[in-house]
Each structure stands twice: as C-alpha cells, then as structure tokens.
Amino acid sequence: MAPKIPNVFFKNGTPVPVLGLGTWNSPPGQVTQAVQDAIDVGYRHIDCAHVYENEHEVGAGIGAKIAQGNVKREDLFVTSKLWNTYHRPDLVKGALQVTLRNLNLKYLDLYLIHWPVAYREGDVLFPLRPDGKRVHFSDADYVDTWPAMEQLVDAGLVRNIGLSNFNAKQVQRILNVARIAPVTNQIECHPYLHQASLGEFCRAQGITITAYSPLGSPARPWVKQDDPILMEDPVVKKLAQKHSKSPAQVLIRYQLQLGNVVIPKSVSKQRIASNADVFGFELDTADMQQLAALERNGRICPESFSFGHPHHPFEEEFRKGRR
C-alpha cells in the first residue's frame, strides 16, 4: 500500500493532492484499469484532457470505484483541459459539457486552458493545413476565453480554473483581466527542462506549478532514436542507487521538493504504486544541485503544429536555439 498522498493548497485555499495520475498517451483499453489501480493504491488526483481522447475510459474507472464504495466523488480531484479548437467564448461551456459527459461527472475540480494557441473551430482536434505540418489557426484570443472559464465557476460546473503551457507574459495577460485568478500553470518540468524563471514568476503571483512529463515522457509518439533518455541519465541512476529507489521515484521526488504538484503517467499497477512511494525519503542539497545541473532546455512538448501562431508560448526559444 502506497503512503497517503498529502495535499497542498492553492492560493484560494483549495486542497489538491500533490501527486496525481497523468493520462496523456495512455494506450486505449488500459486507462480504465489504470485509474482503478491508482485509486486502489491511494491516488485521489486524476489529470485528463479532451484531446487525450480517453476521458470516457477515465470516467469508467472513476465510476467503478465510486460504485464499489472505495471512494466518494468529493474525495477525488479531477482535472481536465479546454482544447484549442474551443477557445471562442461561446464554445467554452459546450466543450466542458462534453468532458463532463465523457467523465460521467457533474463538476470538475479544475479546468485548464490547455494551450494559449487557438485552432480553427470545429470538432477536428488538429485541423491541418495542406502541408500536413501545421494547423489552421483561429484568431480567438485566450484573454477573451478566460471570462467564459470564470462563468463555469459561477455556474458550479468547475471548482477551480487555471492555465497550461502559458509563458510568463501570457500568464500576466490573464492576470490583467482575471476576476478569478488562475490557480495553477501546468507545464513540462523535469531536470532537462526546469523552466525556473517561469516557475518563479508564477509562484510570486500565487500560482502553483503542476509539473507534467516529470519522467521525460520516454514513450512520447515522436521520440527519436538518439533522444537522451532522462531515466537512463547517469546522474539520475546514481542518485537512485544512493537512495535505493528507482530513477522514476527520484525524478518525482525532485519535483515535489521543488514545490511542484506532479502528475506522472503510467498504466502499470506496479509502477503506479511505485510512483506514489516517494514520501519516505528526501534528496539532500547536493542531490538537488546535481539534478539542477542537468538543465539543457530539452523541451519534449514543443507543440510544433502551431509554430507561427502569434500566441505560441515557446517559439521564440526555438528560434534562439536555431541561431
């Protein structure tokens, strides 16, 4: 049995389990079981998104555990995300209602704008241009999307709202118009990509960082043969040996000690349990420094489909990298 997962608190006082189950890129047919296994070993925080196309399976897993009496709805913290084709304010509520239907829930604990970039409206998730490399853009601006997100809170359909993959300038633009402030910015975070200045900026504004891909997302669909594998990094392996832990446990512990909420993904019951067994050891200052020194701006989720979009959050850094 994994140790009880502690809560941290958003600025508005809402408790959120500091460790959650990520469901991105989880193979179809395995997600329902993964969610049930996660709840069995003590997870109470499940991270989903419309674009993952598996929310109906997540909902089946949650529903099964509630029906069995293992857990009540109010014990769970369920997150989902507004996809890029629904940024136009009049589409936001309908997009949420699809997610709620798929999850078979009456409300979400947290709803995020998944990316600051808007795609051409419609049900095609990636409305590709003829070149097949980029999507058709929409001119919807996320600052106009935000009031529609706030209305979901007013309606009791969503308890908290936040952002994902927003850079510091974009977070500030939201804060400039927000009646209800974003509680979190969910961003890619691991020793090859710390996003330290963005993290500092968000924390200074009372916005929690939620770290996705903390293990370096080794199974991402676009991985190349020569890409470095974070969990096989000699420093990570050495620290795992030192603490008699797995590389994954060291990487998850690292995010926790940085003060981040963390959402590793797995569909294996053994690894789901192991990923939660990170509260009985501590990385010392030297360990933390060694992991910090692995920084290489190694972004693995660049959202290259939307390069050229005026609201692309990272394109500038890619241009600098190409010089």
Side-chain angles (χ1 to χ4, degrees):
M1 187 70 174
K4 187 170 162 55
I5 296 168
N7 288 330
V8 289
F9 292 87
F10 289 143
K11 188 183 179 184
N12 64 10
T14 301
V16 54
V18 75
L19 179 75
L21 178 74
T23 59
W24 173 60
N25 200 31
S26 291
Q30 297 180 34
V31 184
T32 298
Q33 191 58 50
V35 168
Q36 292 188 70
D37 291 341
I39 290 172
D40 284 342
V41 300
Y43 285 72
R44 295 295 178 262
H45 176 177
I46 313 287
D47 182 84
C48 336
H50 176 74
V51 75
Y52 303 165
E53 297 187 278
N54 58 12
E55 289 192 321
H56 54 295
E57 291 188 48
V58 173
I62 290 171
K65 286 289 132 187
I66 291 174
Q68 288 165 21
N70 298 53
V71 73
K72 297 190 191 79
R73 168 64 185 98
E74 54 269 28
D75 299 331
L76 297 173
F77 190 96
V78 182
T79 301
S80 187
K81 309 178 191 85
L82 176 78
W83 184 237
N84 306 348
T85 52
Y86 305 110
H87 278 208
R88 217 175 61 206
D90 61 303
L91 300 177
V92 171
K93 187 175 182 182
L96 170 72
Q97 285 168 328
V98 169
T99 276
L100 290 175
R101 269 200 306 277
N102 286 338
L103 290 168
N104 198 20
L105 297 176
K106 291 189 169 62
Y107 69 91
L108 288 179
D109 298 276
L110 176 61
Y111 199 41
L112 309 176
I113 300 181
H114 203 153
W115 289 87
V117 293
Y119 293 172
R120 185 171 70 188
E121 289 73 23
D123 292 328
V124 176
L125 295 174
F126 293 91
L128 291 177
R129 298 182 192 195
D131 66 4
K133 290 179 184 164
R134 288 199 305 160
V135 292
H136 287 284
F137 301 151
S138 159
D139 58 6
D141 189 325
Y142 55 84
V143 294
D144 299 322
T145 311
W146 191 252
M149 297 284 282
E150 293 174 325
Q151 285 163 21
L152 302 177
V153 179
D154 298 338
L157 296 169
V158 170
R159 300 276 166 94
N160 300 275
I161 47 178
L163 309 170
S164 183
N165 300 300
F166 277 56
N167 66 32
K169 285 179 187 159
Q170 294 169 330
V171 173
Q172 186 60 59
R173 280 190 79 213
I174 290 288
L175 289 170
N176 292 345
V177 301
R179 173 172 58 87
I180 300 172
V183 292
T184 192
N185 190 12
Q186 186 181 121
I187 57 174
E188 181 185 337
C189 224
H190 47 75
Y192 288 166
L193 182 77
H194 284 83
Q195 309 215 71
S197 61
L198 175 57
E200 278 170 39
F201 171 80
C202 288
R203 277 188 280 272
Q205 310 300 321
I207 296 169
T208 301
I209 292 296
T210 301
Y212 74 74
S213 296
L215 312 179
S217 225
R220 62 190 180 277
W222 54 87
V223 70
K224 296 191 201 75
Q225 219 170 349
D226 58 348
D227 282 348
I229 299 169
L230 178 59
M231 286 200 280
E232 290 177 13
D233 189 287
V235 171
V236 176
K237 286 170 84 171
K238 187 181 74 182
L239 292 176
Q241 211 173 355
K242 171 181 170 180
H243 291 281
S244 303
K245 289 290 179 183
S246 70
Q249 287 169 322
V250 165
L251 292 168
I252 293 164
R253 181 72 208 174
Y254 182 55
Q255 292 302 323
L256 295 172
Q257 287 185 218
L258 289 173
N260 298 337
V261 172
V262 62
I263 47 170
K265 181 223 95 178
S266 180
V267 291
S268 144
K269 183 167 190 176
Q270 188 188 351
R271 282 200 293 271
I272 287 169
S274 166
N275 287 349
D277 187 13
V278 289
F279 300 100
F281 78 107
E282 197 155 325
L283 300 170
D284 62 34
T285 306
D287 299 339
M288 295 292 285
Q289 286 168 344
Q290 287 180 66
L291 290 166
L294 295 178
E295 176 67 76
R296 54 170 75 190
N297 294 316
R299 190 180 293 282
I300 53 182
C301 291
E303 186 63 357
S304 53
F305 274 132
S306 53
F307 280 171
H309 195 294
H311 295 150
H312 194 289
F314 327 122
E315 194 168 1
E316 214 173 291
E317 78 185 39
F318 276 85
R319 289 193 195 289
K320 281 179 190 159
R322 290 195 197 107
R323 278 177 202 148

